[in-house]
């Protein structure tokens, strides 16, 4: 993970005393009287991030509290949470808990917080992706539009989504995500439902723009919210499940479309109109429930709906707060309803150390996205009917879920983000080479379907990169802005992707497929360069830090104006 270094000494041993071997330059002496008053810490090696990594000797009664900057009296005061932090009343550096308590609590957080976050994301995906199912029901013909109009609608949606990302994050930081996210959902569900009454190109483009504006920022808003409850590696894995929920929504959408599109002719309306209406109303219901199912934070779960005592006991609140803050002290540097000032916004935007991840966000989905956007139209062109075309999108979605979760786990197990994230490009490469090497017009339609399905089942690095971006931000202020910036670059990449397959290149898109292959090759090289950049930056910081004496380090911690990932005691994750 991204690292905040403790001052000079070695981590305490299991009995709470310092290891006899001290780091170079450390001359800190702690009296035995002081040590005897400090509860013992857990052994760092005892931590197993995932259930299948736990050895047979796993002891649920062992202390799970890990060493942090708060265990060194010289550094603790430098990282002390601000007095108006919303969880300050549960912060206690002497709090200890067992592995059994921690793992039970994580499962409880998963059920109470994470499951609902996934349900909300599924609602988002239903309302932004059901346009693909509508295409198979003569959507373009009914509205007298062409594929170029469809491309324009996708581009407008993504541009509006992109432009709304940062303003939405700023509103969320001011209001609190527990208030803003449900408001977003209710507002966009109204627009999604109104698509029932689309009349032509103008109303189609207007609705796509409004949906983009109202949905933009939802994803980084939720990610910021989840960071209040989870440690970094836990969040990365759960983001894998978060995007898996999107894939589940795509499967559900295909199944719903199979039924709803059969309503063509009911009340004299097309099936795609009923699709938009019913799925929009489903989101409205979820948005209303979100107002009462999203607590402001781990210490503020009590309400008339959630119970007067809330979801967590006092002990559980202390564990949530202290385990998260011990891993990342920067999570206490802003109140959860504190707005970001223009000066803080500018500081975050000009953080050049996060731009390599932004650039990856721009290009990493481009080799696959156009093929995915046109999949249902491609299947219709291969003479599959409306309902077959929708059902045939399910297999690639299932493969995509499995591979995405797989690389998310691997990235954490091997502590290697960059090269694992690059595996999606390596996966896609042979299939893109095939599409550029054969005359697809003469190939059996099931072969084309199989190649396309396997290509779109690539291991998506999105969860890894979102968590990576969050870790390398290292302040709440920067994390808020960087999450929006990263997603803006992803949406910008989507705009480019929406315009790679053009009408004058249809139906085989030979020119476009060559472009996709070139982008894929470029991306592989780009991941290697990003890895090299973060290695260089860490070595640069390490040289300066290691050249300082213990006294100089303490003076730096006390007086530095460096913030977030610019601090010399911070190391970038890669």
């Amino acid at each position: 993970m991204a690292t905040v270094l403790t001052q000079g000494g070695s981590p305490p041993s299991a009995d709470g005393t310092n290891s006899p071997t001290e780091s170079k330059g450390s001359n800190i002496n702690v009296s035995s009287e002081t040590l005897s008053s400090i509860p013992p810490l857990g052994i760092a090696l005892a931590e197993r991030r995932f259930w299948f990594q736990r050895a047979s000797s796993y002891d649920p009664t062992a202390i799970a509290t890990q060493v942090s900057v708060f265990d060194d009296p010289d550094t603790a005061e430098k990282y002390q949470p601000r007095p108006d932090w919303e969880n300050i009343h549960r912060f206690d550096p002497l709090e200890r808990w067992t592995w059994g308590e921690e793992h039970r609590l994580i499962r409880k957080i998963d059920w109470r917080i994470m499951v609902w976050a996934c349900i909300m994301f599924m609602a988002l995906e239903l309302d932004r992706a059901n346009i693909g199912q509508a295409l198979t029901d003569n959507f373009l013909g009914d509205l007298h539009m062409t594929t170029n109009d469809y491309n324009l609608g996708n581009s407008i949606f993504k541009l509006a989504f992109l432009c709304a990302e940062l303003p939405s994050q700023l509103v969320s930081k001011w209001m609190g995500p527990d208030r803003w996210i449900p408001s977003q959902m209710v507002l966009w569900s109204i627009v999604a439902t109104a698509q029932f009454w689309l009349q032509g190109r103008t109303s189609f483009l207007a609705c796509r723009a409004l949906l983009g504006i109202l949905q933009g920022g939802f994803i980084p808003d939720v990610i910021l919210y989840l960071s209040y409850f989870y440690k970094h590696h836990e969040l990365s894995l759960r983001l894998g499940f978060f995007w898996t929920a999107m894939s589940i929504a795509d499967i559900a959408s295909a199944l719903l479309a199979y039924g709803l599109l059969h309503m063509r002719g009911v009340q004299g309306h097309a099936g795609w109109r009923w699709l938009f209406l019913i799925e929009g109303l489903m989101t409205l219901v979820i948005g209303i429930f979100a107002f009462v199912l999203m607590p402001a934070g781990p210490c503020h779960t009590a309400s008339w709906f959630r119970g007067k005592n809330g979801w967590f006991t006092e002990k559980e609140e202390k564990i949530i707060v202290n385990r998260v803050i011990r891993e990342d002290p920067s999570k206490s540097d802003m109140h959860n309803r504190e707005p970001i000032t223009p000066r803080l916004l500018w500081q975050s935007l000009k953080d050049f150390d996060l731009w390599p991840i932004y650039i990856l966000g721009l290009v990493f989905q481009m080799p696959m996205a156009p093929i995915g956007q046109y999949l249902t139209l491609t299947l219709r062109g291969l003479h599959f009917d409306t309902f077959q075309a929708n059902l045939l999108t399910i297999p690639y979605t299932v493969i995509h879920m499995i591979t995405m979760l797989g690389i998310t786990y691997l990235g954490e197990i091997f502590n290697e983000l960059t090269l694992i994230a690059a595996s999606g490009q390596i996966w896609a490469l042979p299939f893109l080479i095939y599409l550029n090497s054969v005359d697809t017009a003469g190939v059996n339609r099931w072969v084309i379907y199989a190649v396309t399905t396997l290509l779109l089942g690539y291991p998506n690095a999105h969860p890894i990169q979102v968590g990576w971006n969050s870790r390398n931000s290292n302040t709440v202020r920067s994390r808020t802005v960087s999450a929006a910036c990263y997603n803006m670059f992803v949406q910008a990449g989507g705009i480019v992707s929406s315009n790679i397959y053009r009408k004058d290149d249809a139906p085989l898109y030979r020119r476009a497929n060559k472009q996709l292959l070139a982008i894929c090759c470029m991306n592989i090289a780009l991941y290697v360069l990003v890895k090299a950049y973060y290695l260089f930056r860490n070595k640069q910081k390490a040289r300066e830090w290691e050249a300082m004496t213990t006294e100089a380090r303490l003076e730096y911690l006390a007086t530095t104006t460096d913030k977030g990932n610019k601090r010399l005691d911070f190391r970038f994750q890669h």
Side-chain angles (χ1 to χ4, degrees):
M1 67 177 178
T3 307
V4 176
L5 302 176
T6 56
Q7 192 289 127
S10 300
S13 62
D15 61 1
T17 60
N18 284 345
S19 169
T21 304
E22 293 189 346
S23 299
K24 180 180 179 181
S26 175
N27 57 7
I28 297 175
N29 295 314
V30 182
S31 69
S32 58
E33 181 179 353
T34 302
L35 285 172
S36 65
S37 66
I38 300 176
L41 290 164
I43 302 174
L45 293 178
E47 182 176 15
R48 295 294 183 267
R49 293 182 170 186
F50 311 115
W51 63 268
F52 54 80
Q53 292 180 282
R54 296 173 194 165
S56 57
S57 59
Y58 164 71
D59 181 5
T61 64
I63 297 298
T65 313
Q66 299 295 295
V67 66
S68 81
V69 293
F70 297 109
D71 303 310
D72 185 328
D74 291 311
T75 59
E77 61 178 313
K78 312 298 189 301
Y79 292 95
Q80 184 70 20
R82 49 187 286 178
D84 62 343
W85 183 45
E86 68 274 10
N87 299 316
I88 190 66
H89 61 297
R90 296 292 187 240
F91 171 68
D92 182 3
L94 300 182
E95 182 69 25
R96 300 292 184 265
W97 57 91
T98 66
W99 287 115
E101 289 175 315
E102 179 165 312
H103 293 144
R104 284 192 298 273
L105 180 57
I106 292 172
R107 287 194 295 271
K108 189 174 183 179
I109 297 171
D110 287 341
W111 280 109
R112 295 288 192 179
I113 304 298
M114 191 66 219
V115 169
W116 186 248
C118 289
I119 290 172
M120 293 189 297
F121 192 27
M122 290 172 69
L124 172 88
E125 182 64 10
L126 278 179
D127 288 335
R128 73 173 177 178
N130 54 14
I131 186 71
Q133 279 81 41
L135 282 179
T136 64
D137 192 42
N138 199 39
F139 175 78
L140 296 181
D142 288 348
L143 296 180
H144 309 291
M145 297 194 307
T146 67
T147 54
N148 282 353
D149 295 324
Y150 172 67
N151 285 344
L152 179 60
N154 276 333
S155 297
I156 288 176
F157 171 81
K158 290 182 171 66
L159 181 61
F161 200 100
L162 181 157
C163 293
E165 291 277 6
L166 192 53
S168 177
Q169 273 288 80
L170 298 180
V171 172
S172 178
K173 194 67 189 69
W174 170 57
M175 290 179 60
D178 57 301
R179 297 172 179 172
W180 176 237
I181 291 172
S183 300
Q184 280 183 285
M185 296 190 70
V186 169
L187 290 171
W188 92 56
S189 69
I190 294 171
V191 176
T193 303
Q195 292 179 107
F196 178 88
W197 292 278
L198 289 177
Q199 295 300 316
R201 182 176 183 269
T202 301
S203 56
F204 166 69
L205 297 178
C207 279
R208 299 314 290 175
L210 285 172
L211 279 175
I213 290 170
L214 295 171
Q215 291 181 345
F218 172 86
I219 294 172
D221 290 343
V222 173
I223 293 168
L224 177 65
Y225 178 72
L226 293 176
S227 71
Y228 298 159
F229 297 89
Y230 291 109
K231 294 165 71 172
H232 289 310
H233 76 270
E234 295 165 351
L235 180 60
S236 292
L237 175 61
R238 278 148 187 85
L239 289 177
F241 284 102
F242 187 63
W243 267 279
T244 297
M246 182 182 76
S247 297
I248 294 173
D250 289 335
I251 294 173
S253 181
L255 294 173
L256 281 170
Y258 181 83
L260 295 175
L261 294 181
H262 274 96
M263 294 178 68
R264 175 173 276 272
V266 175
Q267 298 293 317
H269 296 298
W272 59 263
R273 294 187 186 274
W274 293 110
L275 180 76
F276 287 139
L277 178 68
I278 293 173
E279 291 186 353
L281 291 175
M282 290 169 59
T283 300
L284 177 61
V285 173
I286 294 172
I288 291 171
F289 271 101
F291 278 107
V292 293
L293 287 174
M294 290 186 69
C299 301
H300 303 87
T301 60
S303 75
W304 67 270
F305 189 86
R306 297 185 294 268
K308 64 178 182 179
N309 296 322
W311 288 341
F312 306 115
T313 65
E314 180 178 332
K315 174 67 174 179
E316 288 172 334
E317 289 179 357
K318 287 183 177 180
I319 295 174
I320 296 173
V321 169
N322 287 283
R323 66 191 292 272
V324 168
I325 203 67
R326 290 178 74 87
E327 185 204 38
D328 186 353
S330 73
K331 289 187 177 181
S332 66
D333 62 10
M334 288 190 79
H335 191 277
N336 67 352
R337 300 204 197 283
E338 180 181 352
I340 293 178
T341 64
R343 182 176 63 84
L344 292 177
L345 174 61
W346 173 242
Q347 288 177 358
S348 301
L349 289 174
K350 68 178 184 179
D351 187 350
F352 60 86
D353 283 316
L354 294 176
W355 278 72
I357 303 178
Y358 298 164
I359 294 171
L360 289 179
L362 176 70
V363 299
F364 83 108
Q365 294 185 117
M366 278 188 194
M368 292 69 73
I371 297 173
Q373 289 174 359
Y374 274 78
L375 180 60
T376 52
L377 282 179
T378 300
L379 292 175
R380 291 302 310 276
L382 293 173
H383 307 296
F384 293 105
D385 66 31
T386 295
F387 308 109
Q388 290 173 332
N390 280 298
L391 293 177
L392 286 172
T393 63
I394 293 176
Y396 95 78
T397 307
V398 174
I399 297 171
H400 186 72
M401 289 165 53
I402 295 170
T403 57
M404 180 173 62
L405 280 177
I407 66 164
T408 305
Y409 269 104
L410 289 175
E412 294 301 330
I413 291 171
F414 294 109
N415 197 28
E416 174 56 62
L417 301 183
T418 317
L419 301 183
I420 296 293
S423 63
Q425 311 300 314
I426 297 171
W427 174 293
L429 186 61
F431 301 112
L432 291 172
I433 291 174
Y434 176 83
L435 293 176
N436 280 277
S437 302
V438 302
D439 181 7
T440 54
V443 177
N444 182 279
R445 66 174 183 169
W446 287 106
V447 173
I448 296 297
Y449 170 70
V451 170
T452 304
T453 296
L454 291 172
L455 169 61
L456 295 177
Y458 75 101
N460 194 325
H462 204 22
I464 290 179
Q465 290 173 189
V466 170
W468 184 10
N469 181 65
S470 177
R471 298 181 196 196
N472 283 357
S473 299
N474 200 43
T475 63
V476 174
R477 172 260 305 166
S478 180
R479 191 171 290 118
T480 300
V481 177
S482 68
C485 288
Y486 171 79
N487 221 39
M488 288 169 68
F489 274 77
V490 172
Q491 297 307 319
I495 293 173
V496 176
S497 300
S498 296
N499 291 279
I500 292 178
Y501 276 12
R502 303 295 297 173
K503 185 178 180 180
D504 63 344
D505 196 28
L508 301 180
Y509 302 108
R510 290 192 174 95
R511 181 187 67 226
N513 287 335
K514 288 184 175 64
Q515 294 169 349
L516 298 182
L517 177 59
I519 294 170
C520 185
C521 294
M522 176 194 73
N523 287 352
I524 294 172
L526 188 59
Y527 275 102
V528 175
L529 291 174
V530 170
K531 176 80 172 178
Y533 175 79
Y534 283 125
L535 284 170
F536 167 75
R537 288 289 287 132
N538 282 346
K539 288 180 180 178
Q540 191 179 48
K541 284 170 171 277
R543 279 197 302 270
E544 292 186 60
W545 182 257
E546 292 168 4
M548 300 167 69
T549 64
T550 299
E551 292 75 14
R553 292 179 186 179
L554 290 174
E555 177 67 18
Y556 172 83
L557 293 176
T559 62
T560 183
T561 58
D562 294 339
K563 301 292 183 182
N565 58 25
K566 298 299 179 286
R567 293 176 62 101
L568 292 179
D569 56 339
F570 175 82
R571 298 293 178 266
F572 291 102
Q573 177 77 30
H574 55 79

